[in-house]
Structures are given as structure tokens and as C-alpha cells.
Amino acid sequence: DDCEFVCVTRLHNTYNDYTFDQTTIEPGQSLEIQRPDCTLCYVMFSDHVVKDTAVLLGKKMYKMSSQTLSVTNNQTERVRVLRYYR
């Protein structure tokens, strides 16, 4: 079974301060990720995606500093996108 788990922890009893959502990018498709009106926003991908000519590694948290992030899934499988913000 090719199952992997992601565990996101919250420090100092701040569980209710964060929102966690997810979406899917199909193979060969692109997605523009919006940064909500928040103070802190992170995204993570289940596999590598491409932003312009740069590869963003899968299973690594990226802090969003701009309002949008456009990425493309060049994999042969779906890529899950996790967005975590407060």
C-alpha cells in the first residue's frame, strides 16, 4: 500500500486559530492557489509541482508571501494541495 500520512501540529493550544483545507491538481493541470486574508499561510504538496521553471518539492511546507501561487502538476498521478492558515 502506497499510503503516507501527514501530521500537522499546533503549538501552545492554538488549534482553533488555524484553518486547514485541501484540493487536488490532476496530472497535466495547473492551479492558482489564493492566499486568504490572514496573517500566516502555508501550502504543501503531496508530490513535486512546478512554479514557473522552479520545482517545489513534495511534502515540504512553503510559506505564502504573495496573494497567489500558480503551480503545475507534471506528475502522472494527482497531487494533493494542503493549505494551512490563520
Side-chain angles (χ1 to χ4, degrees):
D1 191 352
D2 288 338
C3 186
E4 296 183 62
F5 292 92
V6 173
C7 180
V8 178
T9 60
R10 296 162 174 116
L11 300 175
H12 308 297
N13 200 25
T14 59
Y15 182 83
N16 292 325
D17 294 349
Y18 288 87
T19 300
F20 181 79
D21 57 26
Q22 58 186 333
T23 190
T24 301
I25 310 173
E26 297 294 333
Q29 298 297 308
S30 296
L31 177 69
E32 184 172 277
I33 302 164
Q34 302 292 321
R35 184 181 193 271
D37 185 21
C38 61
T39 57
L40 190 62
C41 181
Y42 292 95
V43 294
M44 185 173 73
F45 308 98
S46 62
D47 207 337
H48 305 334
V49 295
V50 176
K51 176 190 177 290
D52 300 322
T53 58
V55 174
L56 301 182
L57 302 176
K59 301 172 193 78
K60 178 180 177 182
M61 213 48 116
Y62 290 93
K63 185 176 182 179
M64 280 189 73
S65 56
S66 61
Q67 288 305 112
T68 60
L69 173 64
S70 296
V71 295
T72 301
N73 174 8
N74 288 337
Q75 306 298 321
T76 58
E77 301 285 331
R78 293 176 168 166
V79 171
R80 298 295 290 169
V81 181
L82 309 174
R83 186 174 64 167
Y84 181 67
Y85 62 93
R86 68 174 179 163

